[in-house]
Amino acid sequence: MKRYPRHDYSEMLEALQQFFVTTIQATCDDSKYPFRVKDLLNEEKRNLILREQAMQQGLQLGGRGSAAVGTLFAKRYSVFVMSIISAFSLYDTILSIADDDVRFELNGAGGMRYATRLERTSLEAEDPVQRRSESGLLKKRVLLHLEPVLRAVAVGTGASDKVMWSLVAHNVQQLYARMINDQSIWKTDERLAKIQADQSLWLDRQNDNACTFANELQCFEHSSWQGPPFLIRRYCCLAYQVGSGSHAHAYCNSCPKLDSESRLRKLLQQ
């Protein structure tokens, strides 16, 4: 299981890069991160990005596997969302999610790497009420950021909005489950309390009619599984449609299509 260390600013930069392929930059490097999130809102630019992503995955935009391009985009973009949440919950830091600031590149295999700028640090001195307000505002901003992006990708690929949102929600919930259940991540009771407070707000069903990040997920249970909580996705991300032959992608560990024994074997092989 991956660890998410928390000590100082330099360690945050290293952790975000290592676990969420997200780089913090003072000025964006166009040569390394050629695409801005706002490009996804432009039909012509969006189609070029999605077509390149599809080619890297061995799929065809507008043809076989087109929906998989969209679902895999959502699943991979959720990694950037996880970096935003981790920066706040673990490091008391807010990263920019402005469409002009968030950049990404395709890594050659259909995956993505991200870059953004630092918006604000040193939230740790704020009182709990102020911090909760900041957390709630960040959640609203992330939702406003995601909605047009996922909608545009859904239109361009034919993927289901509902499935795409569910894939993002799964990774957000799994992230909080990992943070809370691993003492090497939270280290101090004070930090654990902050993470739990953030989790209760981000996964609040009562005050989120759409249950955007809080849709109900099943936790894997097996008599031979003694590992940390592992959540099963509500929908398949369609990754199995990528590649063929010896390069074919199997079902993911969290895929609802897996039976219990197959899931256990995969988890124990990690």
Side-chain angles (χ1 to χ4, degrees), residues 6-18:
R6 179 194 58 80
H7 288 302
D8 54 21
Y9 179 70
S10 61
E11 188 169 302
M12 180 191 75
L13 298 182
E14 181 181 351
L16 294 182
Q17 176 62 46
Q18 181 178 358

Side-chain angles (χ1 to χ4, degrees), residues 95-139:
L95 305 182
S96 175
I97 50 175
D99 292 347
D100 271 343
D101 290 336
V102 181
R103 291 175 174 260
F104 62 94
E105 65 161 344
L106 304 179
N107 67 7
M112 300 162 69
R113 300 187 183 96
Y114 312 94
T116 188
R117 68 175 181 84
L118 186 69
E119 187 168 303
R120 189 152 67 93
T121 59
S122 302
L123 296 170
E124 69 276 4
E126 296 180 352
D127 64 73
V129 174
Q130 178 62 26
R131 192 178 193 284
R132 183 171 179 81
S133 176
E134 291 279 5
S135 185
L137 179 59
L138 181 62
K139 177 185 176 181

Side-chain angles (χ1 to χ4, degrees), residues 4 10 14 29 47 55 78 81 85 106 108 116 136 138 142 153 187 207 224 232-233 246 249 269:
Y4 303 94
S10 61
E14 181 181 351
D29 184 349
N47 288 339
M55 290 177 60
S78 69
V81 176
I85 292 173
L106 304 179
T116 188
L138 181 62
V142 169
V153 173
K187 298 183 185 300
N207 296 313
S224 298
I232 301 172
R233 299 181 193 275
S246 60
H249 194 297
Q269 289 171 0

Side-chain angles (χ1 to χ4, degrees), residues 114-173:
Y114 312 94
T116 188
R117 68 175 181 84
L118 186 69
E119 187 168 303
R120 189 152 67 93
T121 59
S122 302
L123 296 170
E124 69 276 4
E126 296 180 352
D127 64 73
V129 174
Q130 178 62 26
R131 192 178 193 284
R132 183 171 179 81
S133 176
E134 291 279 5
S135 185
L137 179 59
L138 181 62
K139 177 185 176 181
K140 291 178 181 178
R141 291 173 60 201
V142 169
L143 290 174
L144 289 173
H145 171 82
L146 281 174
E147 196 283 327
V149 171
L150 296 186
R151 176 91 287 270
V153 173
V155 169
T157 63
S160 163
D161 291 71
K162 184 178 181 180
V163 172
M164 294 170 74
W165 275 105
S166 180
L167 294 172
V168 175
H170 172 271
N171 271 349
V172 170
Q173 291 192 40

Side-chain angles (χ1 to χ4, degrees), residues 184-198:
S184 69
I185 295 175
W186 47 264
K187 298 183 185 300
T188 68
D189 291 341
E190 179 184 9
R191 178 57 57 184
L192 176 61
K194 288 183 177 182
I195 296 171
Q196 290 173 325
D198 292 339

Side-chain angles (χ1 to χ4, degrees), residues 19 41 65 77 87 135 160 164 224-225 245 260 268 270:
F19 300 116
L41 308 182
Y77 198 71
S135 185
S160 163
M164 294 170 74
S224 298
W225 175 245
S260 182
L268 292 178
Q270 285 186 329

